[in-house]
Amino acid sequence: MKKYYFLLFAFFALNFSFYKAQESNFNYEIIYKFEMKADEQKLKANQKKLDSTFAKLGVSNEEGNRIAQNLVKMFNDNSSTFTLKANSYYSYFTSNSKISENSIDLIGRMSKAAGDYYQSFSDNKITIIRDYKGLDFTINDKVEKNWKITSEKKNILGKECIKAVSTLKPNTFAWYTPEIKTPTGPVEYGGLNGLILELVQGEAHYTAIEIKKLDSEPKIKIPKKGRLVTMEEYNKMVKESEKE
């Protein structure tokens, strides 16, 4: 009789362990639509800053504005999307947009989402592979996870989402879903008790338009490419370079 109970217990324990393993098998691919949303007043306020940036890059205002307008149009086009792949340990975020060669340098200096982003969930570290002036950099930093959770909720793609506001960066907030426990999201943001399905960074908006549950684990390997630097070192280098 004792043997019978032991086998019964072992059977349920095995099934429970299998269920938990399946539950924690977070293999996803998320497609995000990217949009630049700025009203006319903000655009005028940023015009002087843009003109100054174009001058430092050796680009005329006319040419710079033309490129900037094309970028906004490209980013707001339906084909302007980003893909996030995630397994139980890592995530990988990259742009799907095809960018012309004559715009790549300007985009690399102005876009908030330049490069490929790799997040490690175990230590909350992020690795960004970025090109600057034709040189490759591997940038090591921490995942941005300083959030204040609010009581606001809304539905995105059938998932109930909760609003979280950044406590460090102004005009930045996220909508995440506890229904998908993967603690990641677009660019450098994550650390929440669920997947970020919408992220707003000022004028930059990322909104999930498709969620795919994958049958197999996506292979995500964090590369080391070019010069290894911290984000602080990289920003300092870019700032000094643009003074030249």
Side-chain angles (χ1 to χ4, degrees):
M1 193 69 174
K2 288 183 178 179
K3 185 177 181 181
Y4 171 79
Y5 282 121
F6 174 78
L7 290 173
L8 191 63
F9 174 80
F11 173 79
F12 282 112
L14 183 63
N15 276 274
F16 179 77
S17 297
F18 175 77
Y19 170 77
K20 293 301 287 183
Q22 289 293 98
E23 187 183 46
S24 61
N25 187 23
F26 302 124
N27 301 317
Y28 285 92
E29 180 177 298
I30 315 299
I31 307 299
Y32 293 88
K33 173 79 165 60
F34 179 79
E35 295 177 284
M36 292 292 289
K37 297 183 179 180
D39 57 37
E40 190 173 343
Q41 187 175 359
K42 283 187 177 180
L43 288 174
K44 287 181 178 179
N46 289 332
Q47 191 60 53
K48 288 184 179 180
K49 187 176 180 181
L50 277 175
D51 291 344
S52 175
T53 300
F54 295 146
K56 289 176 182 178
L57 298 176
V59 178
S60 69
N61 287 347
E62 183 180 353
E63 176 67 9
N65 287 324
R66 185 187 65 78
I67 294 175
Q69 288 171 9
N70 287 339
L71 288 180
V72 171
K73 182 179 178 181
M74 178 191 73
F75 284 141
N76 289 341
D77 186 83
N78 288 331
S79 63
S80 177
T81 59
F82 287 79
T83 294
L84 173 72
K85 291 185 178 182
N87 57 34
S88 301
Y89 311 100
Y90 303 100
S91 68
Y92 168 58
F93 183 79
T94 188
S95 172
N96 301 323
S97 298
K98 302 299 181 184
I99 301 171
S100 61
E101 289 298 322
N102 63 344
S103 299
I104 191 69
D105 190 51
L106 183 61
I107 293 171
R109 302 188 207 189
M110 296 179 68
S111 174
K112 294 181 180 181
D116 296 331
Y117 291 72
Y118 297 82
Q119 289 190 26
S120 171
F121 305 150
S122 62
D123 52 13
N124 289 310
K125 289 185 178 178
I126 188 162
T127 301
I128 306 169
I129 308 299
R130 186 172 289 175
D131 175 285
Y132 181 70
K133 290 188 173 181
L135 299 176
D136 291 320
F137 291 88
T138 295
I139 307 167
N140 288 331
D141 202 9
K142 290 184 178 181
V143 173
E144 183 58 62
K145 59 170 191 170
N146 294 280
W147 302 105
K148 178 183 178 182
I149 310 301
T150 75
S151 59
E152 293 184 58
K153 295 181 180 181
K154 74 174 182 178
N155 190 287
I156 300 175
L157 295 178
K159 305 293 184 182
E160 183 178 85
C161 297
I162 301 170
K163 185 177 182 179
V165 179
S166 173
T167 58
L168 290 182
K169 298 186 177 180
N171 304 316
T172 298
F173 58 89
W175 292 92
Y176 73 97
T177 177
E179 295 180 34
I180 302 176
K181 294 292 185 182
T182 308
T184 188
V187 285
E188 71 269 26
Y189 290 87
L192 287 161
N193 186 33
L195 177 67
I196 296 174
L197 292 183
E198 185 174 331
L199 175 70
V200 175
Q201 291 177 282
E203 296 155 4
H205 291 229
Y206 303 85
T207 306
I209 57 174
E210 185 177 0
I211 301 173
K212 298 179 184 178
K213 182 73 168 68
L214 303 177
D215 295 329
S216 59
E217 180 179 302
K219 303 301 180 185
I220 301 174
K221 184 178 180 181
I222 302 177
K224 290 184 179 179
K225 192 176 180 181
R227 182 180 169 186
L228 182 64
V229 295
T230 64
M231 181 58 77
E232 185 179 357
E233 291 170 336
Y234 178 81
N235 289 336
K236 183 179 179 181
M237 179 205 67
V238 171
K239 188 175 181 179
E240 291 176 350
S241 176
E242 292 185 351
K243 288 179 180 178
E244 297 175 359

